[in-house]
């Protein structure tokens, strides 16, 4: 049985279709991603799952329950990690976990032990009695995630979990999320970072303007919408567009971006040799594996981070 | 394996087996969410408990010494007290009630706006099983407990200064707390609508709370005011609370109908304020 089932899910704000008739299912223990640029409707979808945003039409169930009718029951199953940390700065680090747990009707005796466990998981044991304001961005994020686990949820909703964090803090966080996944927690992750989606998600939907434009595992999406490798070349911003005619036929597909030309091909090094053969000398060139960024570019004609 | 050892097994972080089931969590939140929220609201006050304590202990002494004894000696020698009692007795009840109403203002302005705008704690709570209506009621109950507790030392000070001769004077403690909520509940509904930086709250403080303090019968009977200014008292929970406070603290004579009006004038704004707050909270949290 699916943990989450959405069918024709729609949310309209006035004229704007924030979420426009999307359907998806999430299996127990799966890491499911919603990938798309800002404004694609990811956060709105997350809020509808928690029953804190009312849908305009369509159906949605979480563990068989309608979040609008059974809000408290659904939210007792969820851990919600919002895009913006909303920790309570009037409270110390440890108190943030305990008082939040009270909202789930959990006893102080249970929460005292649970808070210690979660502080250890979040690597914040030494900061237990610190003020929240004294934590770094990465620490606040980990505390927010720990807070989302206080009620022992089956499903964790993570909205842009690593936005604004430095690379090291992101890797620590991903490592923590992997551990949760290993324990069988269902993760629903929104992100506009390709590497994050590739790291965390078993399966994802790519969203744009409130609609689903593709669905599958990161590997299958890359296989379907991109070639194995990409040759990135810079000819200087003046010339990037003008060399395209000479590149025709070398790769499977060409994308011209303002600062570079992308050439999709199964064999990047071979393609670079053929580019040299037709007499072109790129200022710089780079062969890399295709990523979800390329999938998004192919599907929407835009890159993810504008 | 017992649940205790499962809990301590660090390889099982999420499911200790010691937590009640989600349906039980939801049942508790549905039933007791307002009370749990009120408890958390009070615990959060620990951050500024020092300020609360200083205000609670120092204000009564300062006010009663300055107004009751200092000003009072002048009034008593001039007109021989007010309403048949020494000035200290007359003004004591008013000072207690108006101090508590003023303190209520702080809890229902910036703290409400911060919950929506700066810290977004209401949004955090919204992701739990607690509903917006439970948050509103929890806010009211939590602040009521604070105001009640804060009124106690003030009442004790009245006793020490000999400013509350009636045996029923302890009733001024709940009366003051109710008056505080009577002003605070509609204010909370307003504060919840504020989307900018809250400059309006300085206006509330200067042009509503302060005039209320000066013109709503705290320092002299409302009847001393010219009729065209007396409405300030009539629309002010401070005056209604103060008059009830005087009835219980020294047995001020008051027609029964007017006493009923005072009670209604305190209760109705609470009901309306809570209802409006629930609407605003729900609209803002359920987008």
């Amino acid at each position: 049985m699916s943990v989450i089932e959405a069918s024709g899910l729609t949310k309209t704000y006035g004229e704007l279709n924030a979420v426009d008739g999307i359907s998806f299912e999430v299996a127990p223990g799966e890491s499911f991603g919603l990938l798309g640029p800002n404004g694609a409707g990811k956060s709105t979808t997350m809020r509808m799952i928690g029953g804190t945003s009312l849908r305009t039409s369509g159906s949605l169930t979480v563990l068989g329950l309608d979040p609008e009718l059974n809000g408290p029951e659904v939210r007792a199953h969820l851990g919600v990690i919002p895009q913006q940390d909303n920790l309570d700065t009037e409270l110390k680090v440890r108190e943030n976990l305990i008082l939040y747990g009270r909202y789930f009707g959990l006893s102080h005796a249970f929460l005292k032990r649970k808070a210690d466990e979660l502080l250890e998981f979040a690597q914040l044991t030494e900061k237990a009695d610190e003020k929240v304001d004294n934590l770094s961005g990465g620490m606040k994020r980990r505390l927010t995630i720990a807070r989302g686990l206080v009620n022992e949820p089956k499903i964790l909703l993570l909205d842009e979990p690593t936005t604004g964090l430095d690379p090291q803090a992101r890797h620590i966080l991903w490592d923590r999320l992997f551990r949760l996944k290993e324990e069988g927690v269902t993760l629903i992750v929104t992100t506009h970072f390709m590497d994050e989606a590739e790291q965390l998600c078993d399966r994802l939907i790519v969203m744009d303007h409130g609609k689903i434009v593709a669905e599958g595992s990161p590997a299958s999406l890359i296989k379907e919408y991109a070639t194995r490798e990409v040759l990135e070349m810079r000819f200087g911003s003046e010339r990037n567009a003008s060399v395209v005619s000479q590149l025709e036929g070398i790769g499977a597909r060409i994308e011209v971006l303002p600062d570079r030309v992308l050439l999709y091909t199964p064999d990047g090094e071979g393609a670079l040799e053929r580019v040299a053969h037709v007499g072109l000398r790129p200022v710089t060139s780079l062969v890399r594996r295709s990523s979800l960024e390329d999938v998004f570019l192919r599907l929407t004609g835009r890159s993810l981070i504008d | 394996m017992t649940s205790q050892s499962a809990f301590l097994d660090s390889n099982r972080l999420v499911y200790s087996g010691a937590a009640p089931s989600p349906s039980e969590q939801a049942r508790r939140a549905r039933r007791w969410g307002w009370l749990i929220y009120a408890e958390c609201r009070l615990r959060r006050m620990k951050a500024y408990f020092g300020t609360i304590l200083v205000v609670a202990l120092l204000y009564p002494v300062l006010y009663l010494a300055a107004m009751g004894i200092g000003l009072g000696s002048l009034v008593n020698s001039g007109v021989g007290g007010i309403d048949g009692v020494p000035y200290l007795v007359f003004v004591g009840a008013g000072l207690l009630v108006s101090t508590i109403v003023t303190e209520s203002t702080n809890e229902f302005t910036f703290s409400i706006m911060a919950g929506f705008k700066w810290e977004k704690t209401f949004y955090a709570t919204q992701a739990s099983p607690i509903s917006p209506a439970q948050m509103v009621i929890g806010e009211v109950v939590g602040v009521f407990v604070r105001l009640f507790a804060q009124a106690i030392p003030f009442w004790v000070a009245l006793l020490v200064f000999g400013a509350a001769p009636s045996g029923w004077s302890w009733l001024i403690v709940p009366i003051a707390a109710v008056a505080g909520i009577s002003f605070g509940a509609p204010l909370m509904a307003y504060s919840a609508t504020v989307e900018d930086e809250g400059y309006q709250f300085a206006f509330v403080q200067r042009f509503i709370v302060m005039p209320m303090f000066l013109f709503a019968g705290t320092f002299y009977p409302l009847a001393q005011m010219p009729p065209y200014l007396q409405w300030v008292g009539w629309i002010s929970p401070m005056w209604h609370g103060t008059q009830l406070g005087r009835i219980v603290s020294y047995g001020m004579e008051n027609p029964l109908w007017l006493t009923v009006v005072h009670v209604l004038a305190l209760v109705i704004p609470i009901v309306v304020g809570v209802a409006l707050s629930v609407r605003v909270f729900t609209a803002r949290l359920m987008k």
Side-chain angles (χ1 to χ4, degrees), chain A residues 19-298:
Chain A
V19 176
D20 198 356
I22 65 171
S23 304
F24 60 88
E25 289 186 16
V26 181
E30 191 176 25
S31 273
F32 184 77
L34 288 82
L35 178 75
N38 291 329
K42 300 169 301 197
S43 299
T44 308
T45 304
M46 291 290 235
R47 284 205 306 277
M48 286 192 281
I49 292 171
T52 58
S53 179
L54 304 178
R55 56 187 183 269
T56 309
S57 62
S59 71
L60 174 67
T61 59
V62 179
L63 295 161
L65 299 167
D66 181 336
E68 285 183 23
L69 301 176
N70 300 98
E73 286 73 17
V74 166
R75 287 190 288 277
H77 281 288
L78 301 179
V80 178
I81 288 82
Q83 195 167 340
Q84 235 186 327
D85 290 326
N86 50 22
L87 296 162
D88 196 327
T89 55
E90 305 269 19
L91 301 172
K92 305 272 172 62
V93 167
R94 190 186 151 84
E95 293 171 330
N96 257 284
L97 299 175
I98 291 178
L99 261 63
Y100 200 73
R102 292 288 296 141
Y103 293 156
F104 293 83
L106 302 169
S107 70
H108 284 281
F110 170 81
L111 287 169
K112 272 184 189 143
R113 285 184 294 158
K114 190 76 195 174
D116 288 340
E117 289 273 334
L118 290 171
L119 286 171
E120 198 175 315
F121 165 79
Q123 298 168 351
L124 290 169
T125 305
E126 269 122 64
K127 303 280 179 186
D129 294 316
E130 285 276 344
K131 287 182 165 179
V132 168
D133 282 332
N134 295 344
L135 300 184
S136 70
M139 290 175 180
K140 281 184 188 166
R141 210 70 195 127
R142 297 206 298 274
L143 180 59
T144 306
I145 292 177
R147 190 185 66 177
L149 293 170
V150 75
N151 56 317
E152 309 208 329
K154 291 191 175 62
I155 307 166
L156 208 54
L157 304 183
L158 296 136
D159 199 354
E160 302 278 352
T162 66
T163 297
L165 299 187
D166 61 58
Q168 196 199 353
R170 295 180 79 196
H171 281 281
I172 295 176
L173 212 124
W174 284 342
D175 168 66
R176 302 287 86 183
L177 295 177
F178 276 127
R179 270 205 50 195
L180 296 177
K181 189 168 146 49
E182 281 168 10
E183 285 194 24
V185 181
T186 305
L187 303 179
I188 318 276
V189 185
T190 78
T191 183
H192 65 274
F193 293 121
M194 297 298 155
D195 53 347
E196 182 157 275
E198 288 179 19
Q199 286 270 349
L200 289 179
C201 302
D202 302 326
R203 195 164 62 84
L204 50 91
I205 52 177
V206 182
M207 288 182 75
D208 192 33
H209 298 306
K211 289 194 165 76
I212 296 175
V213 291
E215 180 173 356
S217 68
S220 74
L221 285 170
I222 291 167
K223 201 170 168 190
E224 189 175 349
Y225 295 100
T227 50
R228 208 173 77 90
E229 294 187 337
V230 189
L231 170 59
E232 289 199 9
M233 292 171 290
R234 292 168 199 264
F235 293 93
S237 48
E238 311 282 294
R239 291 188 60 217
N240 281 339
S242 63
V243 298
V244 171
S245 59
Q246 291 172 268
L247 294 172
E248 294 285 351
I250 293 180
R253 195 164 58 84
I254 299 169
E255 288 279 355
V256 183
L257 301 179
D259 61 333
R260 66 211 139 113
V261 177
L262 306 182
L263 205 140
Y264 290 90
T265 169
D267 173 17
E269 294 294 341
L272 187 57
E273 274 172 36
R274 286 199 279 159
V275 169
H277 206 71
V278 299
L280 287 173
R281 294 277 178 277
V283 182
T284 62
S285 62
L286 164 78
V287 175
R288 61 168 173 83
R289 300 192 55 111
S290 287
S291 72
L292 287 170
E293 181 80 43
D294 302 294
V295 172
F296 192 78
L297 191 64
R298 169 75 187 277

Side-chain angles (χ1 to χ4, degrees), chain A residues 47 52 75 80 82 84-87 100 103 147, chain B residues 37 112-128 130 135 192 194-195 280-287:
Chain A
R47 284 205 306 277
T52 58
R75 287 190 288 277
V80 178
Q84 235 186 327
D85 290 326
N86 50 22
L87 296 162
Y100 200 73
Y103 293 156
R147 190 185 66 177
Chain B
Y37 187 92
I112 299 295
M113 190 190 69
F116 282 110
K117 190 182 164 69
W118 292 330
E119 321 215 315
K120 300 193 180 291
T121 45
F122 292 133
Y123 294 94
T125 312
Q126 166 74 344
S128 81
I130 305 261
M135 290 182 218
V194 171
E195 306 241 3
V280 179
F281 270 59
T282 306
R284 220 165 152 184
L285 294 172
M286 300 281 279
K287 276 193 176 161

Side-chain angles (χ1 to χ4, degrees), chain B residues 36-52:
Chain B
I36 291 166
Y37 187 92
E39 173 209 322
C40 293
R41 182 71 164 85
L42 283 164
R43 285 173 183 274
R44 293 182 69 226
M45 289 178 195
K46 210 175 73 181
Y48 48 99
F49 184 69
T51 320
I52 295 177

Side-chain angles (χ1 to χ4, degrees), chain B residues 85-133:
Chain B
V85 291
Y87 187 64
L88 180 68
V89 173
F90 175 82
V91 83
L95 287 173
L96 188 156
V97 172
S98 52
T99 302
I100 297 301
V101 173
T102 307
E103 286 300 303
S104 167
T105 314
N106 299 329
E107 294 285 8
F108 287 119
T109 49
F110 283 106
S111 123
I112 299 295
M113 190 190 69
F116 282 110
K117 190 182 164 69
W118 292 330
E119 321 215 315
K120 300 193 180 291
T121 45
F122 292 133
Y123 294 94
T125 312
Q126 166 74 344
S128 81
I130 305 261
S131 73

